[in-house]
Amino acid sequence: MSDDAIGVDRGLTSYGDAGFSRYLRRAFLAAAGYDRDDLARPVVGIGHTISDYVPCHRQMPEIVKAVERGVLQAGGIPFSFPLTALGEPLLSPTSMLYRNLAAMQAEELVRAQPLDSVVFVGGCDKTVPAQLLAAVSAGRPALLEVTGPMLSGRWRGQRMGACTDCRRTWGEHRAGRLSNDEIDEVEQALAPTAGTCMVMGTASTMACLTESLGLMLPGGATAPAPTGARLRHAVQTGRRAVELARAPASETVVCGASLRNALIVLAAIGGSTNALVHLVAVARRAGLDLTLRDVGPMMDGVPLLVDCKPTGTRYLEDFEQAGGLPVLLKALEPLLDTTAATARGDSLAELLARVEPPAPWQDVIGTLDAPKGPPGTLVVLAGSLAPNGAVIKAGAASPPLLHHTGPAVVFESPDDALRLLDDSSLEITAEHVLVLRNAGPVGAAMPEAGSLPLPKRLLAAGVRDMVRVSDARMSGTAEGTVVLHCAPEAAIGGPLALVRDGDLVRLDVAAGAVDLLVEERQLEKRRASWSPPALAERGWLRLHQQHSLGADLGADLDFLVPPATRR
Ligand code: FES
């Protein structure tokens, strides 16, 4: 069989006889009910993440059926297959440990199975980043479809939703202002429908960025999971995937222009800090030699244009009703590179020619003249505590703490913090800086532990925020003055490993700096006596620890990055 075979004849199994391989494959497909007419059509693979362990994907079977319908309508044949499904709150120690595993599995299945194009269906936090990485690396035309966000819930007249309100109400409960019965009621109201978290957390952020990168059809980022709009989008995605299957092979649409546009969107939506790790990884997979410190300035000067929690007050369904991402892109048009391609195959300029700027009724979306907030929602920091960079979501922090110097209280791990934070012998005031280490990519696969809970007795005294610094991540739905992703991380000997209780830590967001105010001579002595924590004994965790790159390089595995951007 020739190398330019298409459809089910692609990539024949190696039996040493191509004719036999083709004949055997078709015999087994006949057993599955496919006739010769079916097998003459372009094949669209549909990689889905249906799992009882991912409640956010509860309606995914319906979405997959809608994609299949679109494929059939356009003359293709759909082949659905399961991918690693990562449910954020149901994985231990953290879903981030499995992002690269899921990406590698998706990439390998796309390479190994006969298909002419692929639709990845995901939604929850790490599924979309994994599928983006696979889409860039697998060498087949790819589109993403997401489940879409949940609708918001109500509790005693208050509108609420996952997960900004999860954290706020839990904080109230810890402070003794919500009773056990009340928090039980809230628990039933936070996530009322299928879909992903309905604030601008990581899932919603990554959906917006996927659409901005040109890997999802316009309008796909915000249509809520339970709506017909979501299903109609899925049908359109199936149709478009057949066009891609028939088109000559092309390069990935991720390029310098689309990546810069995505970073501008990230700043304008006040998106998740996690997106910076994922976007840097995607860029490097696409051959763009960018680090965290390179992408920070690309967001400079971009104001906040979307009013969604946690930086704003509203929910994703409000953003959707105001027109979603196409209207936001229209508002941002003067800042964007409109030569970038959309998932429809036209340019962003052609798409935006048919979109109106936001009218007064679309007030979830601001304009460059009347933004929702100043620039600088997400700030990339550097300094002696994070020479390769760190991140803070300044838009969700307490303004008085954005310039703060305080003595460190150091925790060796998330478990250590959990054990000690409410210990009455811990000497701590609101002025202290909570330092968490050994929670970076190698240390602990970056759990969302960076927004450490405040000590109960400070909460009861009315303290609502403290400066926290770590090499961990935090949920995109969280808020507070939290410095994350410090690189190099502690587990490989980064400066965070050298901090001692009582050392002064200075955060100066306006200057873009996070510093450890300890003399270099003193640090040298500490460095000489430092030794790295032991690696896991076996299994995926050990492989991950041996090959994970830093958060500043996207926390990808070194052997998955193309040689041009390998360090
Ligand atoms: Fe799945 Fe939030 S837990 S998107």
Side-chain angles (χ1 to χ4, degrees):
M1 188 56 53
S2 67
D3 285 346
D4 56 2
I6 60 160
V8 295
D9 294 330
R10 275 186 190 271
L12 290 174
T13 314
S14 297
Y15 294 124
D17 177 343
F20 173 73
S21 300
R22 183 171 179 275
Y23 153 77
L24 192 71
R25 178 171 288 181
R26 285 172 175 260
F28 277 88
L29 287 169
Y34 295 99
D35 67 12
R36 291 196 167 213
D37 177 55
D38 287 323
L39 300 184
R41 294 163 187 254
V43 174
V44 176
I46 304 172
H48 62 75
T49 45
I50 297 169
S51 163
D52 288 345
Y53 284 104
V54 193
C56 311
H57 296 182
R58 175 163 64 81
Q59 282 180 298
M60 196 174 283
E62 210 181 357
I63 293 170
V64 170
K65 275 201 172 4
V67 178
E68 288 172 347
R69 181 150 58 90
V71 172
L72 290 168
Q73 286 170 356
I77 189 87
F79 276 70
S80 298
F81 59 99
L83 294 172
T84 299
L86 304 175
E88 189 62 29
L90 281 100
L91 281 168
S92 174
T94 168
S95 63
M96 187 62 183
L97 174 58
Y98 304 105
R99 182 200 70 178
N100 296 333
L101 184 65
M104 193 165 58
Q105 184 231 16
E107 175 187 340
E108 294 299 331
L109 285 180
V110 169
R111 277 189 208 293
Q113 299 176 142
L115 51 83
D116 300 303
S117 68
V118 61
V119 176
F120 291 119
V121 191
C124 198
D125 285 21
K126 301 307 171 298
T127 56
V128 172
Q131 293 173 355
L132 281 173
L133 292 170
V136 171
S137 296
R140 286 276 184 283
L143 291 174
L144 272 72
E145 179 66 30
V146 293
T147 57
M150 295 180 231
L151 298 173
S152 57
R154 302 260 165 191
W155 177 69
R156 297 191 181 182
Q158 290 177 54
R159 197 176 179 204
M160 55 170 57
C163 232
T164 305
D165 298 313
C166 315
R167 293 170 200 285
R168 177 179 59 76
T169 48
W170 187 250
E172 294 293 300
H173 177 56
R174 271 176 62 80
R177 281 189 285 276
L178 277 183
S179 69
N180 287 342
D181 286 348
E182 286 171 325
I183 199 73
D184 284 352
E185 283 180 29
V186 171
E187 182 186 285
Q188 302 305 306
L190 285 166
T193 69
T196 48
C197 293
M198 66 292 245
V199 297
M200 196 55 83
T202 304
S204 303
T205 299
M206 294 311 300
C208 290
L209 300 186
T210 302
E211 191 175 326
S212 310
L213 286 167
L215 283 163
M216 181 159 58
L217 288 178
T222 54
T227 62
R230 169 55 55 200
L231 296 178
R232 294 195 299 276
H233 189 273
V235 173
Q236 289 157 11
T237 299
R239 291 188 197 126
R240 174 68 184 142
V242 177
E243 290 175 4
L244 291 175
R246 290 192 165 122
S250 59
E251 296 287 300
T252 172
V253 296
V254 176
C255 61
S258 61
L259 192 92
R260 275 192 300 279
N261 289 346
L263 284 159
I264 289 167
V265 167
L266 175 61
I269 60 178
S272 167
T273 46
N274 292 321
L276 286 168
V277 181
H278 302 316
L279 267 185
V280 169
V282 167
R284 300 184 73 77
R285 287 285 189 104
L288 302 167
D289 190 7
L290 296 173
T291 69
L292 174 62
R293 291 190 64 182
D294 297 325
V295 301
M298 295 183 193
M299 298 184 291
D300 281 355
V302 181
L304 181 69
L305 289 199
V306 174
D307 176 16
C308 276
K309 290 186 173 191
T311 50
T313 58
R314 292 192 262 185
Y315 296 88
L316 262 287
E317 71 202 72
D318 305 313
F319 185 23
E320 159 73 4
Q321 283 160 14
L325 201 76
V327 176
L328 174 66
L329 292 170
K330 186 70 183 177
L332 287 168
E333 192 171 8
L335 305 182
L336 300 174
D337 184 337
T338 56
T339 63
T342 76
R344 305 189 313 179
D346 57 357
S347 70
L348 193 53
E350 288 168 282
L351 170 73
L352 295 183
R354 286 185 286 277
V355 179
E356 292 294 322
W361 68 268
Q362 292 159 299
D363 66 348
V364 176
I365 305 173
T367 63
L368 294 175
D369 293 334
K372 298 292 176 188
T377 297
L378 287 180
V379 179
V380 173
L381 307 167
S384 59
L385 204 43
N388 292 351
V391 181
I392 185 169
K393 192 171 198 171
S398 305
L401 290 177
L402 293 175
H403 193 296
H404 177 84
T405 303
V409 176
V410 181
F411 303 101
E412 295 297 333
S413 67
D415 284 348
D416 190 40
L418 203 65
R419 196 167 49 78
L420 293 173
L421 269 168
D422 288 335
D423 187 324
S424 56
S425 66
L426 182 71
E427 289 183 14
I428 193 163
T429 68
E431 300 306 306
H432 278 88
V433 174
L434 304 180
V435 174
L436 169 66
R437 64 184 169 211
N438 301 317
V442 172
M446 297 189 89
E448 291 188 342
S451 52
L452 286 169
L454 305 189
K456 264 187 186 170
R457 61 180 189 280
L458 294 184
L459 277 171
V463 177
R464 286 291 169 272
D465 195 8
M466 291 171 70
V467 175
R468 288 156 271 181
V469 178
S470 74
D471 45 14
R473 297 177 302 119
M474 75 172 184
S475 165
T477 63
E479 48 198 343
T481 310
V482 187
V483 177
L484 303 152
H485 312 180
C486 285
E489 63 173 294
I492 61 166
L496 212 55
L498 308 180
V499 187
R500 301 238 171 118
D501 284 339
D503 287 349
L504 286 181
V505 172
R506 181 178 60 208
L507 173 64
D508 185 348
V509 174
V514 59
D515 289 297
L516 178 61
L517 305 182
V518 175
E519 281 189 5
E520 185 50 40
R521 243 180 341 166
Q522 185 62 30
L523 292 177
E524 269 309 320
K525 272 193 208 158
R526 294 182 192 178
R527 202 170 282 122
S529 62
W530 177 82
S531 58
L535 298 184
E537 279 185 7
R538 62 178 296 282
W540 169 250
L541 178 57
R542 184 175 173 86
L543 193 64
H544 167 87
Q545 289 178 315
Q546 288 172 325
H547 293 281
S548 186
L549 299 169
D552 56 311
L553 299 177
D556 206 348
L557 300 182
D558 54 10
F559 57 82
L560 293 177
V561 177
T565 49
R566 203 169 281 168
R567 294 193 182 200

